[in-house]
C-alpha cells in the first residue's frame, strides 16, 4: 500500500529504533501481512522509560503557550493527513472507511481541545480563615505517563490520552494494540514533525504481558492510562499498587438501549443502528442489549429487520456498512454467544450465522426472547449481534439494565420528560444518550461506573488526570 511503510521501528527519544524482534501486522479482511513492526524486549522497554523520564524534566518546563502551539501543529498535520490515516485505520482494523474518516476527525478534536485547555490550567486561591495567611493550590504535571490503547479506535484512543498528557506537561510512553499499531506509529512521525521534543512521545510495541509488567511496576512512571478489557485493567491496577501509581481505566461495557412505548420508533431505529453497528459492534459503548416495550415490539422488530436487510457487509475500503471482526478470537466469541442463546431458548429473528463471505465476517443478527442466564445478556458481545428483551414496566427495565457489573454507556428513547429525569437518576451508567445513539465528543467526560473503570478522559477537565495538586499555606505576617 502506498499509505504505509513496509517496516516500522520503535519510537524512542525522538528516533526510530530497530527493536530486538519484529511482528507482522495483518489485515483482518484477508489475513494478509500489511506491514512489519519492531518489538521491544524488557531492556528496550526500560530504556524507553528512562528516556521518557529524562524528557519529562525539560518538557515540564516548557511554557503552556509553547506546548499548546506544538499541539496545534500536531492537530494540523493529523487533519492534513486525514486520507492516509483513514486508509491505515481501515487496513489494520477492518472498519469501514467512512467510519475511519470520522475517527480521524474525532481523534484530531482531542488534540485541538487539549491544545486549548493547556492554556487554561488554573488553581484556587482561598480566603484564609485566619489573618496573615494565604492559602492556595498549584497544579503541576504528574510525571511520566504510560498509555496502553486498544485496537478498536487506533487513532482516537491514542490522541485522547496523549494530547491531554502532553498538554499538561507530561511525557508519554505509548503501547498501542499489537493488532493496530501502524496508525499510532504514523502519529509518532507526525508528532516529531510538529515539533515534539525528543522523548516527549515514545512508542513501543511488543508482548503486552512483558511491556505491561514494565509499565505498571517501573518507579519512574507516575500514571497509567488504559483503555481495554476489564481483565487486563484489573491486572494493571493490581501491578500498579506496588508503586502506588495514579491510574485511569476505561474498560468494558454492557450498554442497554431502551425503547419506551412513546418513542419515535423511526428515530429510535436510526439511533440504534448507529449505537450498535459502528465498527461492526466492536466498541465499548456499543448497544449490547436492546430493550423494547412490549406494546411496540412487533412493529419495532419488523422495522429493524428491514434495516438489517439493507446493511452491506464486506471490505471496509469499499464503503460497506460492516467490515470483518478483528480476530478469530472475536469471531469464536460471537459464535459461542449465539449458540449459548439458542440452546437456552432464544429465537433468531434475523441472521445468526457466519456470513457467506467467510473469513472474519458475521451476519448482522437479531435475537429475541433473551434471558438473564444467557451470555448475550451478561457479557460484552463486541459484534454485530442484537440481543433483544421485551419489557412492560419502567422499574423493570431500569433494574434489568442495571443488572450487570458494567456501567459505561446507556441509551433510551422517550418523549416523556418525567421519565427522562427518573432514568437519568436511576441508570447506573457514566454516559447516557437520550433520543440519540451518539454520545462521543471531546466534551464528553468519557468513562464509566462500577467495573467499567476509574476516571474520565476528554471534557473540560481533560488535563486533570495528568495534573497533581499542591496545597500551599503561606504565613506572610
Ligand atoms: P481487547 O480484548 O479489546 O483487545 P485487551 O485488554 O486485551 O482488550 O487489549 C487492550 C490493550 O491492552 C492492548 O494494547 C493490549 O496489547 C494490551 N494488553 C493485553 N494484555 C496486557 C497485559 N497483560 N498487560 C498490559 N497490557 C496488555
Amino acid at each position: 500500500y502506498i499509505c504505509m511503510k513496509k517496516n516500522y521501528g520503535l519510537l524512542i527519544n525522538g528516533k526510530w529504533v530497530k527493536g530486538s524482534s519484529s511482528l507482522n501486522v495483518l489485515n483482518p479482511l484477508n489475513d494478509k501481512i500489511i506491514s512489519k513492526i519492531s518489538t521491544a524486549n524488557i531492556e528496550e522497554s526500560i530504556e524507553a522509560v528512562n528516556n521518557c523520564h529524562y524528557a519529562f524534566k525539560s518538557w515540564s518546563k516548557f511554557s503552556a503557550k509553547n506546548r499548546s502551539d506544538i499541539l496545534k501543529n500536531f492537530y494540523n498535520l493529523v487533519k492534513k493527513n486525514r486520507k492516509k490515516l483513514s486508509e491505515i485505520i481501515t487496513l489494520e482494523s477492518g472498519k469501514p472507511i467512512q467510519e475511519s474518516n470520522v475517527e480521524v476527525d474525532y481523534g484530531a478534536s482531542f488534540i485541538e481541545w487539549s491544545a486549548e485547555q493547556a492554556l487554561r490550567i488554573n488553581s484556587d486561591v482561598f480566603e484564609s480563615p485566619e489573618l496573615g495567611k494565604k492559602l492556595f493550590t498549584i497544579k503541576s504535571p504528574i510525571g511520566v505517563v504510560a498509555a496502553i490503547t486498544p485496537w478498536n479506535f487506533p487513532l482516537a484512543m491514542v490522541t485522547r490520552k496523549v494530547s491531554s498528557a502532553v498538554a499538561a506537561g507530561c511525557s508519554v510512553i505509548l503501547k498501542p494494540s499489537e493488532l493496530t499499531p501502524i496508525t499510532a506509529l504514523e502519529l509518532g512521525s507526525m508528532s516529531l514533525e510538529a515539533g515534539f521534543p525528543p522523548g516527549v512521545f515514545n512508542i513501543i510495541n511488543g508482548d503486552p504481558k512483558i511491556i505491561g509488567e514494565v509499565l505498571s511496576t517501573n518507579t519512574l512512571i507516575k500514571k497509567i492510562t488504559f483503555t481495554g478489557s476489564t481483565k487486563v485493567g484489573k491486572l494493571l491496577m493490581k501491578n500498579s499498587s506496588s508503586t502506588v501509581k495514579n491510574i485511569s481505566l476505561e474498560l468494558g461495557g454492557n450498554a442497554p438501549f431502551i425503547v419506551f412505548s412513546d418513542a419515535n420508533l423511526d428515530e429510535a431505529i436510526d439511533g440504534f443502528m448507529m449505537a450498535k453497528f459502528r465498527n461492526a459492534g466492536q466498541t465499548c459503548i456499543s448497544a449490547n442489549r436492546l430493550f423494547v416495550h412490549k406494546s411496540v415490539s412487533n412493529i419495532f422488530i419488523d422495522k429493524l429487520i428491514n434495516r438489517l436487510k439493507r446493511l452491506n457487509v464486506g471490505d471496509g475500503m469499499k464503503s460497506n456498512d460492516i467490515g470483518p471482526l478483528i480476530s478469530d478470537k472475536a469471531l469464536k466469541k460471537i459464535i459461542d454467544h449465539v449458540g449459548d442463546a439458542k440452546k437456552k431458548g432464544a429465537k433468531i429473528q434475523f441472521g445468526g450465522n457466519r456470513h457467506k463471505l467467510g473469513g472474519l465476517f458475521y451476519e448482522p443478527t437479531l435475537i429475541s426472547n433473551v434471558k438473564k442466564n444467557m451470555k448475550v445478556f451478561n457479557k460484552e458481545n463486541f459484534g454485530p449481534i442484537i440481543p433483544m428483551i421485551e419489557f412492560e414496566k419502567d422499574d423493570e427495565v431500569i433494574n434489568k439494565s442495571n443488572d450487570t457489573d458494567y456501567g459505561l454507556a446507556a441509551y433510551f428513547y422517550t418523549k416523556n420528560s418525567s421519565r427522562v429525569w427518573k432514568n437519568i437518576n436511576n441508570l447506573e451508567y457514566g454516559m447516557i444518550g437520550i433520543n440519540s445513539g451518539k454520545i462521543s465528543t471531546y466534551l464528553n467526560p468519557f468513562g464509566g461506573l462500577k467495573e467499567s473503570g476509574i476516571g474520565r478522559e476528554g471534557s473540560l477537565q481533560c488535563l486533570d488526570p495528568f495534573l497533581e495538586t499542591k496545597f500551599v499555606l503561606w504565613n506572610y505576617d
Side-chain angles (χ1 to χ4, degrees):
Y1 297 100
I2 42 165
C3 61
M4 65 176 88
K5 293 190 273 186
K6 284 208 176 72
N7 287 288
Y8 287 86
L10 309 163
L11 179 57
I12 300 180
N13 207 25
K15 296 205 177 63
W16 293 102
V17 181
K18 196 168 180 301
S20 50
S21 329
S22 65
L23 189 74
N24 292 328
V25 181
L26 306 175
N27 185 342
L29 174 72
N30 50 22
D31 224 20
K32 286 201 176 133
I33 297 172
I34 50 177
S35 189
K36 199 177 222 179
I37 56 164
S38 275
T39 55
N41 58 22
I42 294 189
E43 290 73 32
E44 289 157 336
S45 304
I46 293 173
E47 192 200 329
V49 176
N50 291 339
N51 279 296
C52 196
H53 174 65
Y54 189 73
F56 172 69
K57 291 185 186 171
S58 51
W59 180 244
S60 53
K61 305 283 183 298
F62 272 53
S63 73
K65 175 79 172 82
N66 214 333
R67 298 198 304 271
S68 178
D69 286 344
I70 292 173
L71 278 163
K72 281 179 191 154
N73 295 341
F74 186 35
Y75 166 77
N76 287 329
L77 281 166
V78 169
K79 289 295 269 192
K80 196 173 117 192
N81 287 286
R82 183 180 192 249
K83 187 164 182 293
K84 170 180 171 167
L85 288 166
S86 298
E87 279 181 18
I88 295 176
I89 293 172
T90 291
L91 288 171
E92 61 180 357
S93 75
K95 76 169 64 171
I97 191 76
Q98 65 279 13
E99 291 188 24
S100 298
N101 284 324
V102 172
E103 181 178 349
V104 177
D105 295 340
Y106 174 52
S109 75
F110 290 114
I111 309 175
E112 186 182 37
W113 181 244
S114 297
E116 288 166 10
Q117 293 305 85
L119 302 174
R120 301 193 184 103
I121 298 172
N122 57 9
S123 34
D124 303 310
V125 182
F126 304 101
E127 185 64 29
S128 169
E130 298 162 33
L131 292 176
K133 292 183 179 137
K134 265 286 167 234
L135 277 52
F136 56 94
T137 59
I138 63 159
K139 298 277 174 68
S140 50
I142 200 163
V144 176
V145 172
I148 302 178
T149 50
W151 71 268
N152 60 347
F153 286 90
L155 189 138
M157 293 306 99
V158 173
T159 56
R160 193 166 77 191
K161 293 178 191 305
V162 173
S163 52
S164 291
V166 166
C170 297
S171 55
V172 182
I173 177 154
L174 169 74
K175 194 212 80 63
S177 166
E178 61 281 14
L179 301 174
T180 57
I182 302 168
T183 308
L185 293 162
E186 288 286 344
L187 286 174
S189 281
M190 289 169 208
S191 76
L192 297 179
E193 200 183 331
F196 279 44
V200 168
F201 179 26
N202 307 275
I203 307 175
I204 54 173
N205 284 292
D207 184 330
K209 284 204 182 81
I210 293 177
I211 297 181
E213 173 116 12
V214 171
L215 298 183
S216 54
T217 56
N218 192 296
T219 50
L220 295 176
I221 292 175
K222 301 300 176 212
K223 161 114 202 170
I224 290 222
T225 168
F226 171 76
T227 299
S229 62
T230 304
K231 185 170 143 234
V232 173
K234 286 180 179 176
L235 175 72
L236 292 172
M237 197 172 171
K238 193 167 152 203
N239 287 348
S240 299
S241 68
S242 62
T243 50
V244 196
K245 286 192 205 323
N246 183 307
I247 184 156
S248 299
L249 303 170
E250 197 247 289
L251 309 174
N254 184 1
F257 188 106
I258 311 168
V259 182
F260 288 93
S261 55
D262 63 334
N264 177 320
L265 295 188
D266 291 317
E267 285 173 17
I269 290 201
D270 284 345
F272 180 74
M273 296 301 284
M274 169 117 60
K276 174 72 246 181
F277 289 106
R278 201 150 53 109
N279 204 8
Q282 302 171 102
T283 89
C284 49
I285 56 168
S286 292
N288 208 52
R289 294 169 294 161
L290 171 63
F291 293 95
V292 182
H293 192 266
K294 204 169 177 186
S295 64
V296 292
S297 76
N298 285 342
I299 174 160
F300 194 87
I301 288 176
D302 286 349
K303 281 173 181 282
L304 186 55
I305 289 177
N306 270 333
R307 289 292 287 271
L308 298 182
K309 281 183 187 155
R310 302 206 318 254
L311 286 174
N312 292 320
V313 177
D315 182 353
M317 286 302 245
K318 301 199 172 126
S319 303
N320 284 299
D321 303 304
I322 301 186
L325 294 165
I326 186 65
S327 64
D328 213 37
K329 197 172 125 206
L331 178 66
K332 286 205 174 100
K333 181 169 155 186
I334 294 294
I335 293 170
D336 175 48
H337 281 197
V338 175
D340 172 78
K342 274 207 271 199
K343 207 167 63 198
K344 292 175 182 161
K347 184 169 169 213
I348 306 295
Q349 296 274 0
F350 189 82
N353 296 298
R354 290 180 67 172
H355 196 272
K356 60 180 185 304
L357 287 172
L360 296 175
F361 291 102
Y362 197 87
E363 291 176 337
T365 294
L366 175 61
I367 311 169
S368 64
N369 215 12
V370 164
K371 297 276 172 337
K372 158 84 183 139
N373 65 344
M374 298 174 186
K375 289 182 187 172
V376 286
F377 185 100
N378 292 305
K379 298 196 188 282
E380 197 174 31
N381 296 304
F382 241 60
I385 64 173
I386 310 167
M388 185 181 138
I389 303 113
E390 283 182 359
F391 71 93
E392 288 185 76
K393 301 232 158 56
D394 284 25
D395 284 354
E396 171 201 352
V397 74
I398 297 301
N399 288 339
K400 279 188 180 158
S401 296
N402 289 339
D403 189 7
T404 167
D405 293 331
Y406 293 111
L408 197 59
Y411 308 84
F412 64 86
Y413 273 69
T414 181
K415 296 273 185 245
N416 178 326
S417 57
S418 122
R419 179 178 275 149
V420 165
W421 279 113
K422 284 186 189 144
N423 289 351
I424 294 173
N425 285 329
N426 295 333
L427 281 167
E428 296 165 354
Y429 286 86
M431 301 175 283
I432 300 176
I434 305 169
N435 299 331
S436 173
K438 179 178 177 285
I439 53 171
S440 297
T441 143
Y442 60 86
L443 287 170
N444 176 349
F446 206 102
L449 312 183
K450 294 155 83 175
E451 291 191 19
S452 284
I454 299 175
R456 299 289 183 269
E457 281 181 348
S459 82
L460 259 183
Q461 290 78 31
C462 65
L463 268 50
D464 285 2
F466 305 101
L467 293 167
E468 283 285 19
T469 302
K470 275 186 201 162
F471 173 74
V472 183
L473 189 155
W474 179 9
N475 184 350
Y476 61 83
D477 230 4

